[in-house]
Amino acid sequence: MARFLFTTWEGGGHVQPMLLVARDLAARGHAVLVLSDPCNAPDAAALDVPFRAWTTAPFQTGKSRDDDRLKDHEADNPLAVIQRLLDRVMAGPALAYAHDTLAAIDAFAPDVVVSQELLLGPMAAAEARGLSLALLAANIWSLPTMPGAPPFGAGMLPAANDEERGMHAMVGQMSRTFFQAGLPDLNAARAALGLAPLEDLFAQLDGARAILLATSKAFDFAPEPLPAPFAHVGPYLADPAWVQPLAPPPDDAPLVVVSFSSLYQAQEPVLRAIIAALGQLPVRGVVTTGPTIDPAEFEAPANVAVVRSAPHGALLEDAALFVTHAGHGSALRPLMAGVPLLCLPMGRDQNDNAARIVHRGAGLTLPADADSDAIAAAVRCLLDEPAFRTAAQTLGAAIRADEAARDAAAVLEGLAP
């Protein structure tokens, strides 16, 4: 039996996959402990995963829009988003995260520390204790450290020629430079831990013996073969613990499911436009607002139900279309059910996920400020043209195969003494 300490933070869709990996290790007879925000304790309890809350590091006790400490929807450019990540997650609180991680290490005595890829503090804590470190990314890789991958954030396709490869390299280097603003804070934390300073913020990731991408190889644009220490381990997706049951609206009309981020991205305007668009069409609509938005804020026509949550796994069995911001889980789960998507990305990894969907012919993309007429036209197109569903079924079958072969637990076992 080995012992695995997982560290993550309340950043939306990456929490549930880490809990699922921890559960798999526990089922294989290992001891696990997840260190995260108090608001994630119910999700851990639902999977019977031992849990410990951050106390010194920043933490959230709830999942409302007021609880969100990143508030990246208030940033008006990519550089401002990076600065918020550095100040509020990656570098500014690195020492606080390290202190909490060291306390958990001393109490739990893990053999391996598994960190979410943005938490530099726990990585430094593992280094200070001389422990094996792995990173677990529950999405496509978001940092400018993977050679040969399209730059993150803009929805770029794989480079097809030298000119595009040069453009990708330039954009990646610019992004890498922007992140160096967090280096003084990280080095201050390292000094407090008795560690030598780094010349590059991303050198902190070099201590990872494995970087696990909990996404589908069939979905990703990553280079083949992946450079070490990266490895695709398959998607880990499930309904979170806070989801409530809901029966689909009765009727024979096509079912359109709408879901945007479980975090707050100021998505009220786009949800209103989608609701108005569905009201123009002979469809049944189910709109889930998530924990950060009250369904009572929306007026809906008779053919559209607006609820806080619903079991997407069950709804997708009957769905004809999924309308989404294209977060990682919201992109893969419809595809795995063979359902095409209409994507209205709002930032983060969403442009990149949407690009992968559209490139494979499994959906369409509109800007997040599209009006209801444009959304209605796109919905009609996706429902009327069978090629979209065929492409979604083809891609979905490959993603399901990657899910069936997922092996994060086996890879992590190989890191234990």
Side-chain angles (χ1 to χ4, degrees):
M1 184 182 74
R3 304 177 70 81
F4 296 86
L5 173 65
F6 291 80
T7 67
T8 188
W9 61 288
E10 174 44 33
H14 63 243
V15 176
Q16 190 79 355
M18 185 170 279
L19 293 172
L20 292 170
V21 173
R23 182 192 64 178
D24 284 358
L25 280 166
R28 295 163 79 116
H30 302 292
V32 302
L33 176 66
V34 172
L35 184 57
S36 189
D37 298 53
C39 62
N40 294 322
D43 297 282
L47 295 172
D48 199 25
V49 172
F51 182 87
R52 177 176 174 139
W54 301 114
T55 56
T56 303
F59 61 80
Q60 293 179 210
T61 56
K63 298 191 179 188
S64 74
R65 71 186 71 175
D66 295 327
D67 293 312
D68 178 24
R69 66 177 176 277
L70 193 56
K71 292 184 169 57
D72 56 346
H73 63 278
E74 296 177 354
D76 57 6
N77 61 76
L79 182 56
V81 173
I82 290 173
Q83 194 63 54
R84 285 172 181 263
L85 277 173
L86 291 170
D87 292 344
R88 305 181 187 189
V89 179
M90 296 179 70
L95 183 57
Y97 277 119
H99 281 156
D100 281 358
T101 304
L102 290 172
I105 288 172
D106 293 343
F108 180 65
D111 300 299
V112 180
V113 174
V114 186
S115 179
Q116 198 270 345
E117 71 270 20
L118 298 181
L119 288 183
L120 302 179
M123 300 179 207
E127 180 183 350
R129 287 290 193 268
L131 294 172
S132 289
L133 173 69
L135 307 183
L136 179 64
N139 38 256
I140 61 171
W141 187 243
S142 63
L143 298 174
T145 63
M146 184 190 291
F152 177 84
M156 292 184 175
L157 300 179
N161 51 52
D162 288 343
E163 182 180 357
E164 291 180 358
R165 280 186 283 273
M167 173 62 73
H168 285 191
M170 182 184 71
V171 174
Q173 185 56 50
M174 288 176 58
S175 177
R176 193 173 185 115
T177 299
F178 292 154
F179 275 97
Q180 301 311 314
L183 188 57
D185 283 339
L186 175 59
N187 276 337
R190 290 178 59 83
L193 298 172
L195 299 173
L198 302 175
E199 295 184 1
D200 184 316
L201 180 109
F202 294 114
Q204 185 63 72
L205 280 64
D206 292 345
R209 294 175 58 194
I211 300 178
L212 310 185
L213 305 180
T215 187
S216 165
K217 179 180 178 181
F219 177 75
D220 205 358
F221 283 163
E224 177 63 36
L226 274 176
F230 291 95
H232 283 115
V233 293
Y236 287 75
L237 303 168
D239 288 329
W242 46 265
V243 166
Q244 298 296 313
L246 177 77
D251 201 342
D252 293 330
L255 175 63
V256 178
V257 180
V258 181
S259 177
F260 276 62
S261 180
S262 59
L263 300 180
Y264 187 67
Q265 288 192 270
Q267 59 262 53
E268 296 96 334
V270 65
L271 288 175
R272 290 193 174 93
I274 294 167
I275 291 168
L278 297 182
Q280 304 175 28
L281 303 172
V283 300
R284 296 173 292 155
V286 173
V287 179
T288 58
T289 64
T292 64
I293 297 178
D294 187 348
E297 295 183 33
F298 302 91
E299 294 184 8
N303 65 325
V304 179
V306 182
V307 296
R308 193 176 294 277
S309 66
H312 287 166
L315 288 177
L316 285 168
E317 295 177 4
D318 297 322
L321 178 64
F322 198 81
V323 183
T324 177
H325 64 310
H328 181 258
S330 297
L332 264 63
R333 294 191 74 190
L335 291 171
M336 292 167 69
V339 177
L341 297 96
L342 175 57
C343 305
L344 295 97
M346 304 185 71
R348 302 174 187 165
D349 63 339
Q350 297 153 28
N351 287 300
D352 301 290
N353 294 326
R356 285 155 174 77
I357 291 165
V358 174
H359 184 66
R360 276 59 176 263
L364 296 173
T365 297
L366 289 175
D369 60 357
D371 62 27
S372 58
D373 290 339
I375 294 170
V379 170
R380 289 191 194 95
C381 178
L382 287 160
L383 292 176
D384 293 344
E385 176 50 64
F388 291 108
R389 177 169 283 272
T390 300
Q393 291 170 338
T394 300
L395 179 55
I399 295 172
R400 290 197 306 274
D402 286 340
E403 183 193 38
R406 65 190 189 184
D407 59 355
V411 175
L412 291 172
E413 281 179 329
L415 303 181

